[in-house]
């Protein structure tokens, strides 16, 4: 079975206002099964923060900083990918989810401030996660969960320095000291 390829395109990030929100878009995308995030603004700090996550917590999530949104979308489409823009004005997710689920190469676009009209035009779908205003992080999380083939909460992340041992009370993290040493030497 071919793996699904999902990237998140983050639009409208304002470095002075949206640092936490955009970091959370990246963390959520990674945790719930996306392969990477493309940031259509220049914020090297976010790039650094996200790049620190995978060596620590496993997997191979990528971030591309300072990208041109339309170029990314057009290249994605040329490679046969489909584009789904998340917007409260779109078709409600339950009405389109079965179609989205069959896509093997999907770009999910989330905005911050007002999203330019051309994004609505160029997208294959404008999809609402309920037609009420809320947040890009919530919209992304619910979409990734609903379109997943297997439960994203059960996904394991290989090559992790740190692994949480789930428990009802307290906190337990296992450290892979050999990998921590190896990664230190790479820096
Ligand atoms: C806080 S909203 C701001 C929206 C902005 N005022 C506009 O006119 O597009 C930021 C982003 O969250 C996402 N979002 C918020 N509510 C949503 C919903 N109900 N369904 C899908 N996406 C949503 C969209 O990606 C949106 O661009």
């Amino acid at each position: 079975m071919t793996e699904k390829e999902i990237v998140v395109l983050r639009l409208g990030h304002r470095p002075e206002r949206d640092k936490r929100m955009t970091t959370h878009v990246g963390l959520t995308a990674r945790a719930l099964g996306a392969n990477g995030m493309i940031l259509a603004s220049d914020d090297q700090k976010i790039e650094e923060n996200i790049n620190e996550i995978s060596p620590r917590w496993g997997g191979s999530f990528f971030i591309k900083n300072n990208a041109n949104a339309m170029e990314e979308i057009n290249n994605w489409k040329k490679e046969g990918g489909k584009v789904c823009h998340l917007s409260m004005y779109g078709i409600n997710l339950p009405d389109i989810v079965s179609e989205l689920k069959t896509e093997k190469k999907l770009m999910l676009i989330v905005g911050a401030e007002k999203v330019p009209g051309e994004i609505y035009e160029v997208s294959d779908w404008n999809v609402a996660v309920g037609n009420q205003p809320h947040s890009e992080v919530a919209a992304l999380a619910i979409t990734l969960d609903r379109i997943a083939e297997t439960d994203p909460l059960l996904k394991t992340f290989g090559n992790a320095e740190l692994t949480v041992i789930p428990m009802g009370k307290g906190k337990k993290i296992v450290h892979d000291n050999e990998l921590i040493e190896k990664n230190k030497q790479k820096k």
Side-chain angles (χ1 to χ4, degrees):
M1 194 171 61
T2 3
E3 278 245 333
K4 245 192 217 306
E5 188 186 350
I6 300 177
V7 300
V8 174
L9 173 61
R10 168 59 157 162
L11 300 179
H13 166 80
R14 296 150 293 183
E16 65 295 348
R17 283 187 56 170
D18 297 323
K19 274 194 192 320
R20 273 175 67 82
M21 206 56 157
T22 300
T23 303
H24 288 184
V25 168
L27 293 176
T28 301
R30 173 187 167 274
L32 297 180
N35 303 78
M37 175 170 81
I38 298 167
L39 186 53
S41 321
D42 186 13
D43 193 330
Q44 285 169 19
K45 192 77 198 134
I46 301 256
E47 185 181 15
E48 280 165 30
N49 289 345
I50 298 289
N51 275 334
E52 280 173 11
I53 297 296
S54 289
R56 278 177 91 68
W57 294 100
S60 58
F61 190 79
F62 75 84
I63 173 153
K64 180 170 180 185
N65 183 40
N66 203 12
N68 177 303
M70 285 310 291
E71 229 172 79
E72 295 294 332
I73 293 169
N74 288 331
N75 287 340
W76 185 259
K77 288 181 136 193
K78 266 188 216 146
E79 291 163 9
K82 289 286 178 73
V83 175
C84 171
H85 167 225
L86 299 180
S87 154
M88 64 183 273
Y89 307 104
I91 296 167
N92 202 7
L93 181 59
D95 297 325
I96 198 85
V97 71
S98 54
E99 208 176 310
L100 292 179
K101 258 185 156 169
T102 63
E103 291 305 329
K104 293 289 178 211
K105 188 173 166 71
L106 190 62
M107 175 182 277
L108 295 173
I109 304 181
V110 293
E113 48 179 359
K114 195 170 162 45
V115 171
E118 62 183 339
I119 298 295
Y120 289 81
E121 290 305 318
V122 79
S123 294
D124 296 289
W125 306 274
N126 293 289
V127 170
V129 180
N131 296 98
Q132 299 291 327
H134 48 81
S135 124
E136 49 273 49
V137 177
L140 181 63
I142 292 173
T143 304
L144 286 170
D145 187 51
R146 296 260 179 119
I147 67 173
E149 278 158 353
T150 56
D151 190 340
L153 304 188
L154 300 177
K155 181 179 156 74
T156 51
F157 291 77
N159 259 339
E161 292 181 0
L162 308 178
T163 305
V164 171
I165 308 299
M167 56 179 56
K169 284 189 182 170
K171 298 177 187 173
K172 188 165 181 180
I173 294 181
V174 170
H175 293 67
D176 182 337
N177 290 324
E178 212 174 293
L179 186 60
I180 292 172
E181 261 321 299
K182 215 162 116 193
N183 285 345
K184 251 192 217 154
Q185 279 161 21
K186 271 197 229 156
K187 279 182 190 167

mmCIF file of all heavy atoms in Angstrom, residues 9-11 14 21 85-93 109-116 120 126-140 143, ligand 1:
data_model
loop_
_atom_site.group_PDB
_atom_site.id
_atom_site.type_symbol
_atom_site.label_atom_id
_atom_site.label_comp_id
_atom_site.label_asym_id
_atom_site.label_seq_id
_atom_site.Cartn_x
_atom_site.Cartn_y
_atom_site.Cartn_z
ATOM 1 N N LEU A 9 0.414 23.715 4.216
ATOM 2 C CA LEU A 9 0.922 25.028 3.795
ATOM 3 C C LEU A 9 0.320 26.084 4.716
ATOM 4 O O LEU A 9 -0.900 26.246 4.778
ATOM 5 C CB LEU A 9 0.528 25.290 2.334
ATOM 6 C CG LEU A 9 0.842 26.685 1.774
ATOM 7 C CD1 LEU A 9 2.341 26.977 1.794
ATOM 8 C CD2 LEU A 9 0.307 26.809 0.338
ATOM 9 N N ARG A 10 1.194 26.764 5.457
ATOM 10 C CA ARG A 10 0.755 27.783 6.411
ATOM 11 C C ARG A 10 0.872 29.159 5.759
ATOM 12 O O ARG A 10 1.978 29.610 5.423
ATOM 13 C CB ARG A 10 1.663 27.698 7.647
ATOM 14 C CG ARG A 10 1.567 28.849 8.627
ATOM 15 C CD ARG A 10 0.202 29.026 9.178
ATOM 16 N NE ARG A 10 0.215 29.720 10.452
ATOM 17 C CZ ARG A 10 -0.855 30.287 10.959
ATOM 18 N NH1 ARG A 10 -2.005 30.285 10.309
ATOM 19 N NH2 ARG A 10 -0.797 30.884 12.122
ATOM 20 N N LEU A 11 -0.269 29.818 5.588
ATOM 21 C CA LEU A 11 -0.288 31.152 4.965
ATOM 22 C C LEU A 11 -0.367 32.240 6.032
ATOM 23 O O LEU A 11 -0.887 31.998 7.131
ATOM 24 C CB LEU A 11 -1.527 31.303 4.081
ATOM 25 C CG LEU A 11 -1.716 30.350 2.911
ATOM 26 C CD1 LEU A 11 -3.027 30.689 2.200
ATOM 27 C CD2 LEU A 11 -0.554 30.433 1.941
ATOM 28 N N ARG A 14 2.432 36.039 10.659
ATOM 29 C CA ARG A 14 3.082 37.307 10.991
ATOM 30 C C ARG A 14 4.035 37.045 12.151
ATOM 31 O O ARG A 14 3.581 36.749 13.273
ATOM 32 C CB ARG A 14 2.035 38.355 11.413
ATOM 33 C CG ARG A 14 1.057 38.717 10.288
ATOM 34 C CD ARG A 14 -0.290 39.111 10.790
ATOM 35 N NE ARG A 14 -0.990 37.986 11.403
ATOM 36 C CZ ARG A 14 -2.236 38.026 11.882
ATOM 37 N NH1 ARG A 14 -2.922 39.153 11.824
ATOM 38 N NH2 ARG A 14 -2.785 36.968 12.433
ATOM 39 N N MET A 21 1.043 30.186 17.444
ATOM 40 C CA MET A 21 0.034 29.536 16.609
ATOM 41 C C MET A 21 0.701 28.732 15.484
ATOM 42 O O MET A 21 0.321 27.583 15.226
ATOM 43 C CB MET A 21 -0.886 30.618 16.038
ATOM 44 C CG MET A 21 -2.240 30.161 15.710
ATOM 45 S SD MET A 21 -3.075 29.398 17.119
ATOM 46 C CE MET A 21 -4.742 29.616 16.646
ATOM 47 N N HIS A 85 -8.030 23.621 0.862
ATOM 48 C CA HIS A 85 -7.896 24.814 1.710
ATOM 49 C C HIS A 85 -8.950 24.751 2.820
ATOM 50 O O HIS A 85 -10.143 24.591 2.538
ATOM 51 C CB HIS A 85 -8.099 26.061 0.823
ATOM 52 C CG HIS A 85 -8.302 27.316 1.580
ATOM 53 N ND1 HIS A 85 -9.273 28.237 1.256
ATOM 54 C CD2 HIS A 85 -7.669 27.824 2.672
ATOM 55 C CE1 HIS A 85 -9.228 29.249 2.093
ATOM 56 N NE2 HIS A 85 -8.269 29.029 2.965
ATOM 57 N N LEU A 86 -8.495 24.865 4.070
ATOM 58 C CA LEU A 86 -9.424 24.821 5.197
ATOM 59 C C LEU A 86 -9.934 26.220 5.490
ATOM 60 O O LEU A 86 -9.157 27.133 5.798
ATOM 61 C CB LEU A 86 -8.737 24.216 6.428
ATOM 62 C CG LEU A 86 -8.252 22.776 6.244
ATOM 63 C CD1 LEU A 86 -7.573 22.263 7.514
ATOM 64 C CD2 LEU A 86 -9.396 21.850 5.848
ATOM 65 N N SER A 87 -11.249 26.376 5.368
ATOM 66 C CA SER A 87 -11.874 27.683 5.550
ATOM 67 C C SER A 87 -13.301 27.471 6.059
ATOM 68 O O SER A 87 -14.005 26.573 5.568
ATOM 69 C CB SER A 87 -11.906 28.401 4.199
ATOM 70 O OG SER A 87 -12.969 29.325 4.173
ATOM 71 N N MET A 88 -13.704 28.301 6.993
ATOM 72 C CA MET A 88 -15.061 28.150 7.543
ATOM 73 C C MET A 88 -16.163 28.341 6.493
ATOM 74 O O MET A 88 -17.307 27.968 6.710
ATOM 75 C CB MET A 88 -15.285 29.127 8.698
ATOM 76 C CG MET A 88 -15.226 30.576 8.291
ATOM 77 S SD MET A 88 -15.407 31.713 9.662
ATOM 78 C CE MET A 88 -17.171 31.866 9.732
ATOM 79 N N TYR A 89 -15.794 28.909 5.324
ATOM 80 C CA TYR A 89 -16.782 29.173 4.281
ATOM 81 C C TYR A 89 -16.973 27.992 3.326
ATOM 82 O O TYR A 89 -17.835 28.034 2.447
ATOM 83 C CB TYR A 89 -16.369 30.407 3.452
ATOM 84 C CG TYR A 89 -16.086 31.618 4.314
ATOM 85 C CD1 TYR A 89 -14.780 32.038 4.565
ATOM 86 C CD2 TYR A 89 -17.133 32.322 4.904
ATOM 87 C CE1 TYR A 89 -14.514 33.144 5.372
ATOM 88 C CE2 TYR A 89 -16.872 33.417 5.712
ATOM 89 C CZ TYR A 89 -15.567 33.818 5.947
ATOM 90 O OH TYR A 89 -15.320 34.894 6.746
ATOM 91 N N GLY A 90 -16.140 26.966 3.481
ATOM 92 C CA GLY A 90 -16.140 25.876 2.504
ATOM 93 C C GLY A 90 -17.235 24.850 2.710
ATOM 94 O O GLY A 90 -18.167 25.029 3.514
ATOM 95 N N ILE A 91 -17.090 23.734 1.969
ATOM 96 C CA ILE A 91 -18.018 22.593 2.108
ATOM 97 C C ILE A 91 -17.694 21.920 3.435
ATOM 98 O O ILE A 91 -16.525 21.699 3.757
ATOM 99 C CB ILE A 91 -17.794 21.600 0.946
ATOM 100 C CG1 ILE A 91 -18.155 22.279 -0.375
ATOM 101 C CG2 ILE A 91 -18.592 20.318 1.144
ATOM 102 C CD1 ILE A 91 -17.683 21.528 -1.577
ATOM 103 N N ASN A 92 -18.714 21.589 4.174
ATOM 104 C CA ASN A 92 -18.458 21.021 5.494
ATOM 105 C C ASN A 92 -17.769 19.649 5.383
ATOM 106 O O ASN A 92 -18.156 18.807 4.568
ATOM 107 C CB ASN A 92 -19.776 20.914 6.273
ATOM 108 C CG ASN A 92 -19.526 20.851 7.769
ATOM 109 O OD1 ASN A 92 -18.399 21.006 8.253
ATOM 110 N ND2 ASN A 92 -20.577 20.610 8.530
ATOM 111 N N LEU A 93 -16.751 19.452 6.194
ATOM 112 C CA LEU A 93 -15.893 18.256 6.121
ATOM 113 C C LEU A 93 -16.662 16.926 6.050
ATOM 114 O O LEU A 93 -16.316 16.078 5.224
ATOM 115 C CB LEU A 93 -14.899 18.283 7.302
ATOM 116 C CG LEU A 93 -13.892 17.146 7.409
ATOM 117 C CD1 LEU A 93 -12.994 17.051 6.181
ATOM 118 C CD2 LEU A 93 -13.019 17.333 8.662
ATOM 119 N N ILE A 109 -4.129 23.550 3.288
ATOM 120 C CA ILE A 109 -3.740 24.956 3.463
ATOM 121 C C ILE A 109 -4.494 25.542 4.646
ATOM 122 O O ILE A 109 -5.720 25.379 4.738
ATOM 123 C CB ILE A 109 -4.051 25.788 2.205
ATOM 124 C CG1 ILE A 109 -3.359 25.167 0.986
ATOM 125 C CG2 ILE A 109 -3.630 27.238 2.392
ATOM 126 C CD1 ILE A 109 -3.584 25.944 -0.316
ATOM 127 N N VAL A 110 -3.783 26.201 5.544
ATOM 128 C CA VAL A 110 -4.451 26.951 6.619
ATOM 129 C C VAL A 110 -3.956 28.391 6.613
ATOM 130 O O VAL A 110 -2.794 28.670 6.318
ATOM 131 C CB VAL A 110 -4.246 26.320 8.030
ATOM 132 C CG1 VAL A 110 -4.945 24.986 8.136
ATOM 133 C CG2 VAL A 110 -2.769 26.205 8.392
ATOM 134 N N GLY A 111 -4.853 29.306 6.950
ATOM 135 C CA GLY A 111 -4.528 30.727 6.949
ATOM 136 C C GLY A 111 -4.262 31.249 8.347
ATOM 137 O O GLY A 111 -4.230 30.508 9.328
ATOM 138 N N ALA A 112 -4.087 32.551 8.406
ATOM 139 C CA ALA A 112 -3.925 33.250 9.692
ATOM 140 C C ALA A 112 -4.893 34.425 9.640
ATOM 141 O O ALA A 112 -5.999 34.360 10.154
ATOM 142 C CB ALA A 112 -2.486 33.712 9.874
ATOM 143 N N GLU A 113 -4.480 35.491 8.959
ATOM 144 C CA GLU A 113 -5.413 36.601 8.724
ATOM 145 C C GLU A 113 -6.183 36.302 7.427
ATOM 146 O O GLU A 113 -6.277 35.150 7.023
ATOM 147 C CB GLU A 113 -4.657 37.919 8.668
ATOM 148 C CG GLU A 113 -3.448 37.838 7.768
ATOM 149 C CD GLU A 113 -2.682 39.126 7.662
ATOM 150 O OE1 GLU A 113 -3.081 40.132 8.275
ATOM 151 O OE2 GLU A 113 -1.693 39.135 6.946
ATOM 152 N N LYS A 114 -6.698 37.325 6.783
ATOM 153 C CA LYS A 114 -7.519 37.107 5.581
ATOM 154 C C LYS A 114 -6.742 36.343 4.499
ATOM 155 O O LYS A 114 -5.607 36.705 4.157
ATOM 156 C CB LYS A 114 -7.986 38.458 5.042
ATOM 157 C CG LYS A 114 -9.106 38.339 4.059
ATOM 158 C CD LYS A 114 -9.679 39.720 3.769
ATOM 159 C CE LYS A 114 -10.482 39.752 2.494
ATOM 160 N NZ LYS A 114 -11.402 38.642 2.303
ATOM 161 N N VAL A 115 -7.383 35.322 3.979
ATOM 162 C CA VAL A 115 -6.738 34.497 2.959
ATOM 163 C C VAL A 115 -7.064 35.074 1.572
ATOM 164 O O VAL A 115 -8.234 35.356 1.282
ATOM 165 C CB VAL A 115 -7.252 33.031 3.078
ATOM 166 C CG1 VAL A 115 -6.787 32.173 1.917
ATOM 167 C CG2 VAL A 115 -6.812 32.428 4.420
ATOM 168 N N PRO A 116 -6.049 35.264 0.692
ATOM 169 C CA PRO A 116 -6.316 35.847 -0.640
ATOM 170 C C PRO A 116 -7.286 34.998 -1.469
ATOM 171 O O PRO A 116 -7.269 33.766 -1.391
ATOM 172 C CB PRO A 116 -4.934 35.859 -1.308
ATOM 173 C CG PRO A 116 -3.942 35.564 -0.258
ATOM 174 C CD PRO A 116 -4.639 34.939 0.904
ATOM 175 N N TYR A 120 -8.710 30.407 -2.793
ATOM 176 C CA TYR A 120 -10.011 29.738 -2.939
ATOM 177 C C TYR A 120 -10.158 29.193 -4.362
ATOM 178 O O TYR A 120 -10.745 28.150 -4.593
ATOM 179 C CB TYR A 120 -11.159 30.715 -2.643
ATOM 180 C CG TYR A 120 -11.280 31.088 -1.176
ATOM 181 C CD1 TYR A 120 -10.459 32.054 -0.607
ATOM 182 C CD2 TYR A 120 -12.218 30.461 -0.370
ATOM 183 C CE1 TYR A 120 -10.575 32.405 0.732
ATOM 184 C CE2 TYR A 120 -12.347 30.797 0.979
ATOM 185 C CZ TYR A 120 -11.518 31.765 1.518
ATOM 186 O OH TYR A 120 -11.630 32.094 2.844
ATOM 187 N N ASN A 126 -12.417 23.791 -0.994
ATOM 188 C CA ASN A 126 -12.417 24.681 0.168
ATOM 189 C C ASN A 126 -13.309 23.988 1.190
ATOM 190 O O ASN A 126 -14.511 23.784 0.937
ATOM 191 C CB ASN A 126 -12.967 26.054 -0.213
ATOM 192 C CG ASN A 126 -12.023 26.764 -1.168
ATOM 193 O OD1 ASN A 126 -10.945 27.186 -0.774
ATOM 194 N ND2 ASN A 126 -12.405 26.865 -2.435
ATOM 195 N N VAL A 127 -12.707 23.591 2.290
ATOM 196 C CA VAL A 127 -13.397 22.695 3.225
ATOM 197 C C VAL A 127 -13.504 23.339 4.604
ATOM 198 O O VAL A 127 -12.512 23.839 5.159
ATOM 199 C CB VAL A 127 -12.645 21.347 3.320
ATOM 200 C CG1 VAL A 127 -13.190 20.484 4.452
ATOM 201 C CG2 VAL A 127 -12.761 20.599 1.992
ATOM 202 N N ALA A 128 -14.711 23.296 5.150
ATOM 203 C CA ALA A 128 -14.949 23.833 6.496
ATOM 204 C C ALA A 128 -14.977 22.697 7.508
ATOM 205 O O ALA A 128 -15.528 21.628 7.238
ATOM 206 C CB ALA A 128 -16.287 24.563 6.522
ATOM 207 N N VAL A 129 -14.395 22.956 8.651
ATOM 208 C CA VAL A 129 -14.493 22.005 9.760
ATOM 209 C C VAL A 129 -15.605 22.575 10.650
ATOM 210 O O VAL A 129 -15.354 23.238 11.661
ATOM 211 C CB VAL A 129 -13.124 21.874 10.472
ATOM 212 C CG1 VAL A 129 -13.208 20.886 11.628
ATOM 213 C CG2 VAL A 129 -12.075 21.403 9.461
ATOM 214 N N GLY A 130 -16.827 22.383 10.167
ATOM 215 C CA GLY A 130 -17.976 23.092 10.733
ATOM 216 C C GLY A 130 -17.941 24.522 10.200
ATOM 217 O O GLY A 130 -16.852 25.101 10.042
ATOM 218 N N ASN A 131 -19.098 25.107 9.921
ATOM 219 C CA ASN A 131 -19.105 26.458 9.329
ATOM 220 C C ASN A 131 -19.167 27.555 10.385
ATOM 221 O O ASN A 131 -19.950 28.505 10.277
ATOM 222 C CB ASN A 131 -20.245 26.572 8.311
ATOM 223 C CG ASN A 131 -20.040 25.632 7.128
ATOM 224 O OD1 ASN A 131 -20.602 24.553 7.098
ATOM 225 N ND2 ASN A 131 -19.221 26.026 6.175
ATOM 226 N N GLN A 132 -18.381 27.369 11.424
ATOM 227 C CA GLN A 132 -18.256 28.376 12.479
ATOM 228 C C GLN A 132 -16.786 28.771 12.584
ATOM 229 O O GLN A 132 -15.914 27.917 12.367
ATOM 230 C CB GLN A 132 -18.691 27.797 13.842
ATOM 231 C CG GLN A 132 -20.129 27.330 13.890
ATOM 232 C CD GLN A 132 -21.103 28.486 13.824
ATOM 233 O OE1 GLN A 132 -20.821 29.571 14.335
ATOM 234 N NE2 GLN A 132 -22.243 28.274 13.184
ATOM 235 N N PRO A 133 -16.493 30.029 12.956
ATOM 236 C CA PRO A 133 -15.073 30.399 13.075
ATOM 237 C C PRO A 133 -14.435 29.730 14.293
ATOM 238 O O PRO A 133 -15.057 29.668 15.344
ATOM 239 C CB PRO A 133 -15.131 31.926 13.278
ATOM 240 C CG PRO A 133 -16.490 32.211 13.800
ATOM 241 C CD PRO A 133 -17.405 31.138 13.278
ATOM 242 N N HIS A 134 -13.233 29.182 14.122
ATOM 243 C CA HIS A 134 -12.453 28.733 15.286
ATOM 244 C C HIS A 134 -10.980 28.920 14.979
ATOM 245 O O HIS A 134 -10.555 30.072 14.797
ATOM 246 C CB HIS A 134 -12.850 27.323 15.773
ATOM 247 C CG HIS A 134 -12.960 26.259 14.725
ATOM 248 N ND1 HIS A 134 -11.876 25.604 14.226
ATOM 249 C CD2 HIS A 134 -14.057 25.725 14.103
ATOM 250 C CE1 HIS A 134 -12.279 24.690 13.345
ATOM 251 N NE2 HIS A 134 -13.605 24.757 13.248
ATOM 252 N N SER A 135 -10.208 27.851 14.891
ATOM 253 C CA SER A 135 -8.759 28.061 14.792
ATOM 254 C C SER A 135 -8.145 27.126 13.763
ATOM 255 O O SER A 135 -8.652 26.017 13.524
ATOM 256 C CB SER A 135 -8.146 27.821 16.174
ATOM 257 O OG SER A 135 -7.149 26.850 16.122
ATOM 258 N N GLU A 136 -7.044 27.575 13.166
ATOM 259 C CA GLU A 136 -6.340 26.751 12.180
ATOM 260 C C GLU A 136 -5.797 25.469 12.803
ATOM 261 O O GLU A 136 -5.713 24.428 12.153
ATOM 262 C CB GLU A 136 -5.227 27.535 11.484
ATOM 263 C CG GLU A 136 -4.261 28.305 12.353
ATOM 264 C CD GLU A 136 -4.755 29.724 12.681
ATOM 265 O OE1 GLU A 136 -5.914 29.881 13.106
ATOM 266 O OE2 GLU A 136 -3.945 30.653 12.552
ATOM 267 N N VAL A 137 -5.426 25.539 14.082
ATOM 268 C CA VAL A 137 -4.874 24.344 14.740
ATOM 269 C C VAL A 137 -5.986 23.306 14.917
ATOM 270 O O VAL A 137 -5.810 22.120 14.609
ATOM 271 C CB VAL A 137 -4.239 24.703 16.107
ATOM 272 C CG1 VAL A 137 -3.738 23.456 16.818
ATOM 273 C CG2 VAL A 137 -3.088 25.683 15.905
ATOM 274 N N ALA A 138 -7.158 23.770 15.372
ATOM 275 C CA ALA A 138 -8.289 22.854 15.554
ATOM 276 C C ALA A 138 -8.739 22.293 14.208
ATOM 277 O O ALA A 138 -8.981 21.082 14.074
ATOM 278 C CB ALA A 138 -9.444 23.595 16.226
ATOM 279 N N ALA A 139 -8.825 23.161 13.192
ATOM 280 C CA ALA A 139 -9.281 22.726 11.868
ATOM 281 C C ALA A 139 -8.333 21.659 11.310
ATOM 282 O O ALA A 139 -8.770 20.626 10.786
ATOM 283 C CB ALA A 139 -9.360 23.926 10.925
ATOM 284 N N LEU A 140 -7.037 21.896 11.478
ATOM 285 C CA LEU A 140 -6.043 20.955 10.962
ATOM 286 C C LEU A 140 -6.111 19.621 11.712
ATOM 287 O O LEU A 140 -6.089 18.551 11.098
ATOM 288 C CB LEU A 140 -4.650 21.593 11.121
ATOM 289 C CG LEU A 140 -3.480 20.773 10.612
ATOM 290 C CD1 LEU A 140 -3.594 20.546 9.104
ATOM 291 C CD2 LEU A 140 -2.164 21.487 10.937
ATOM 292 N N THR A 143 -9.218 17.628 10.722
ATOM 293 C CA THR A 143 -9.107 17.133 9.339
ATOM 294 C C THR A 143 -8.138 15.958 9.264
ATOM 295 O O THR A 143 -8.457 14.916 8.668
ATOM 296 C CB THR A 143 -8.658 18.266 8.391
ATOM 297 O OG1 THR A 143 -9.577 19.346 8.511
ATOM 298 C CG2 THR A 143 -8.601 17.805 6.954
HETATM 299 C C1 LIG B 1 -8.571 32.490 12.762
HETATM 300 S S1 LIG B 1 -8.982 32.074 11.153
HETATM 301 C C2 LIG B 1 -9.045 33.657 10.372
HETATM 302 C C3 LIG B 1 -9.851 33.613 9.105
HETATM 303 C C4 LIG B 1 -9.889 34.949 8.377
HETATM 304 N N1 LIG B 1 -10.562 35.913 9.154
HETATM 305 C C5 LIG B 1 -10.517 34.817 6.996
HETATM 306 O O1 LIG B 1 -11.268 35.675 6.606
HETATM 307 O O2 LIG B 1 -10.219 33.863 6.265
HETATM 308 C C6 LIG B 1 -7.442 31.410 10.611
HETATM 309 C C7 LIG B 1 -7.561 30.125 9.855
HETATM 310 O O3 LIG B 1 -8.203 29.134 10.644
HETATM 311 C C8 LIG B 1 -8.822 28.181 9.803
HETATM 312 N N2 LIG B 1 -10.207 28.022 10.230
HETATM 313 C C9 LIG B 1 -10.842 28.727 11.194
HETATM 314 N N3 LIG B 1 -12.109 28.285 11.347
HETATM 315 C C10 LIG B 1 -12.267 27.267 10.471
HETATM 316 C C11 LIG B 1 -13.333 26.393 10.157
HETATM 317 N N4 LIG B 1 -14.513 26.461 10.759
HETATM 318 N N5 LIG B 1 -13.130 25.463 9.218
HETATM 319 C C12 LIG B 1 -11.940 25.352 8.574
HETATM 320 N N6 LIG B 1 -10.901 26.150 8.841
HETATM 321 C C13 LIG B 1 -11.054 27.097 9.767
HETATM 322 C C14 LIG B 1 -8.681 28.700 8.369
HETATM 323 O O4 LIG B 1 -7.623 28.023 7.721
HETATM 324 C C15 LIG B 1 -8.362 30.184 8.588
HETATM 325 O O5 LIG B 1 -7.641 30.733 7.525
#
